[in-house]
């Protein structure tokens, strides 16, 4: 977990959507929060970090989706691929067992209420 914390301080690492580092860090933090937090962080702190990382990841994915759609407005195929990629990620958020601790109490759902980033 500390490795993720350090690595995510690098904007390039945090923004790497294919590597999904922010998403994976959130999953590790939530597992740690549920399994007994390390001595250096409380479960509430780990959950707060996880929500920040998930929000960042979702924001970057929304921005990438918007850029992809705007960049190819005449290509239904490209827009369809961008839509499909975003839908896959949203399904992942709904299904990932690592996120069970924040699902259903409104915290995960609140991420979707935030306005998407501008392209």
């Amino acid at each position: 977990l500390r490795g993720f914390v350090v690595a995510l301080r690098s904007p390039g690492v945090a923004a790497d959507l294919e590597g999904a580092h922010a998403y994976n860090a959130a999953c590790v933090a939530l597992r740690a929060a549920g399994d007994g937090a390390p001595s250096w962080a409380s479960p509430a702190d780990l959950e707060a970090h996880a929500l920040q990382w998930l929000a960042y990841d979702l924001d970057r994915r929304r921005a990438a989706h918007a850029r992809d759609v705007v960049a190819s407005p005449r290509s239904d195929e490209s827009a369809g691929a961008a839509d499909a990629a975003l839908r896959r990620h949203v399904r992942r958020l709904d299904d990932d067992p690592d996120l069970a601790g924040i699902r259903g109490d409104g915290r995960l759902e609140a991420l979707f209420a935030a306005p998407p980033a501008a392209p």
Side-chain angles (χ1 to χ4, degrees):
L1 182 57
R2 282 186 188 219
F4 275 119
V5 172
V6 171
L8 288 173
R9 289 183 184 143
S10 166
V13 172
D16 177 7
L17 294 178
E18 286 204 28
H21 304 299
Y23 181 88
N24 290 328
C27 290
V28 170
L30 290 169
R31 280 196 311 263
D35 292 341
S39 61
W40 50 271
S42 71
D45 287 342
L46 292 173
E47 288 178 353
H49 282 297
L51 286 165
Q52 289 173 342
W53 291 328
L54 287 171
Y56 177 83
D57 180 74
L58 183 59
D59 189 51
R60 294 296 91 211
R61 290 178 190 280
R62 285 175 165 168
H65 173 266
R67 277 191 309 275
D68 290 348
V69 170
V70 168
S72 56
R74 296 174 197 233
S75 172
D76 289 340
E77 185 177 319
S78 294
D83 288 346
L86 188 58
R87 279 194 306 274
R88 276 192 307 276
H89 185 67
V90 169
R91 275 195 305 274
R92 183 178 180 189
L93 290 169
D94 285 340
D95 297 336
D96 193 327
D98 290 335
L99 306 183
I102 59 168
R103 190 179 295 116
D105 65 4
R107 292 181 290 169
L108 181 61
E109 295 78 6
L111 296 178
F112 295 100

